[in-house]
Amino acid sequence: MAGQIKQMLDAIILERSKGNSVVAMTTKTKIILKGIDPDKYTAGSADDPTTIQKVRDIARELGVTLQ
């Protein structure tokens, strides 16, 4: 299923920001500092298992529960 990484990143940003654009940008920056650029991924991006695990780890560190 392509695009899973994009969906996960969007879910992290949405849950943390709750619509606040400043918090959304701060969350994106934190994700970038952890080695993943959310703007790099699209709905058509391939799902690399290593990257998926890294995104799950980032979500856990930020206190976000992913489905």
Side-chain angles (χ1 to χ4, degrees):
M1 179 174 121
Q4 184 178 2
I5 295 170
K6 172 71 172 161
Q7 290 175 351
M8 292 168 67
L9 292 168
D10 288 346
I12 293 168
I13 293 168
L14 182 65
E15 187 171 325
R16 294 259 316 181
S17 69
K18 298 191 185 338
N20 185 325
S21 61
V22 173
V23 177
M25 288 303 296
T26 303
T27 302
K28 264 178 110 170
T29 302
K30 287 181 180 183
I31 293 170
I32 290 169
L33 290 172
K34 293 184 182 291
I36 302 226
D37 184 356
D39 294 332
K40 178 182 166 190
Y41 296 93
T42 66
S45 297
D47 292 333
D48 175 38
T50 306
T51 306
I52 290 173
Q53 185 57 49
K54 192 168 184 176
V55 172
R56 288 188 189 282
D57 292 342
I58 291 170
R60 188 173 32 257
E61 290 175 23
L62 295 176
V64 175
T65 303
L66 295 174
Q67 303 294 343

